Amino acid sequence: MTGILLSEWTKLRSLRSTAYTLLALAALAVGLGVLISSGAGDGYTELAPAERDAFDPTQVSTQSYLAAQLALGVLGVLVVSGEYATGMIRTSLTAVPRRERLLAAKAAVFAAVALVAGLVVGFGAFLLGQATLAGQDAPHTTLAEPHVLRAVAGAGLYLATIGLFGVAVGTLVRSTAGGITVLVAVTLLVPAFGQGLPGGWGERLVRWWPTTAGSRVMTVKPDPDLLGPWAGYGVLCVAVAGTLVAAFVVLRARDA
């Protein structure tokens, strides 16, 4: 297994697209976090009293996860679909006949890279975002405050989990375009449009949909209508674990 892990690490780091994507991810997500914080700080004085009470400086500065999750998710899809596109998957499966080990190694290596990238994005966006809020005399916070460190580190956990979801989807559909379509639908389209469902279905979807539930791990102030931080993240983990199990089953059952 050590040799398989080293092989997958070599594949991942030797692709220039990996480095470019991660650099673009960090710049985009951190920069977007600063812009969001600037806008929120500028408009704070115009908020109603109830909105001021609900103002969560940590959540404001980590909102850039919405863009970061797409970048890491797409990279996760490419880890698998890229090999199918080039035909390299046949060589990989010849070298590692036990397919479950190959996918496990891919998932483990990418999860580690995604976790580091997610933590860089989370802490970078938080620190610069809080400095921006402080400069505008808006409410701001520090890592020493209760639950803040968990919320910021939770951004890294959330993004790494979405990256693993990308790996699973790439394995299931074997197509970059198809994998990205599924990723966008799950992370953006369903949460955005599902809220308008009638008969209370929209509220249930916001509460239980894996990505919206998982994002609660990045919040500090509780919302009684939504799941708690770790309960919400647990829903996301269960959903991604189920998708990975399906990917393992499908990979073992079909031809390369």
Side-chain angles (χ1 to χ4, degrees):
M1 192 64 186
T2 302
I4 305 173
L5 289 169
L6 289 174
S7 173
E8 292 303 320
W9 167 242
T10 301
K11 291 180 190 176
L12 187 61
R13 68 178 176 82
S14 61
L15 292 174
R16 285 181 293 179
S17 59
T18 301
Y20 294 155
T21 301
L22 292 176
L23 288 173
L25 161 69
L28 173 65
V30 174
L32 188 58
V34 172
L35 289 176
I36 294 173
S37 299
S38 177
D42 187 55
Y44 178 76
T45 56
E46 302 176 3
L47 296 178
E51 293 175 320
R52 291 190 183 187
D53 291 339
F55 189 84
D56 186 345
T58 304
Q59 188 176 26
V60 166
S61 60
T62 55
Q63 275 296 302
S64 58
Y65 83 88
L66 291 169
Q69 67 180 353
L70 281 181
L72 275 177
V74 168
L75 191 56
V77 170
L78 287 170
V79 165
V80 180
S81 66
E83 287 203 41
Y84 278 102
T86 61
M88 184 66 185
I89 190 66
R90 296 186 183 90
T91 304
S92 297
L93 292 176
T94 300
V96 187
R98 297 187 63 176
R99 298 183 175 194
E100 67 277 8
R101 289 194 175 188
L102 178 65
L103 183 54
K106 285 183 180 294
V109 168
F110 186 75
V113 172
L115 178 60
V116 172
L119 290 173
V120 169
V121 167
F123 280 93
F126 172 81
L127 294 174
L128 292 178
Q130 296 309 304
T132 302
L133 290 172
Q136 295 177 311
D137 293 326
H140 54 281
T141 187
T142 67
L143 293 172
E145 294 296 321
H147 311 302
V148 173
L149 181 59
R150 183 263 303 153
V152 178
L157 292 173
Y158 175 89
L159 292 174
T161 307
I162 294 298
L164 277 176
F165 177 69
V167 173
V169 169
T171 305
L172 289 170
V173 302
R174 298 190 292 185
S175 164
T176 300
I180 293 175
T181 299
V182 172
L183 185 71
V184 171
V186 170
T187 59
L188 294 181
L189 297 183
V190 173
F193 294 103
Q195 299 180 39
L197 293 175
W201 285 102
E203 295 179 1
R204 295 188 188 96
L205 186 141
V206 170
R207 181 180 177 86
W208 293 103
W209 188 254
T211 56
T212 53
S215 67
R216 296 299 301 166
V217 77
M218 293 177 276
T219 61
V220 172
K221 294 190 175 182
D223 187 334
D225 295 328
L226 299 175
L227 295 174
W230 292 118
Y233 181 66
V235 170
L236 175 64
C237 288
V238 169
V240 173
T243 311
L244 278 170
V245 169
F248 274 99
V249 172
V250 169
L251 182 64
R252 292 188 63 181
R254 71 186 173 196
D255 295 334

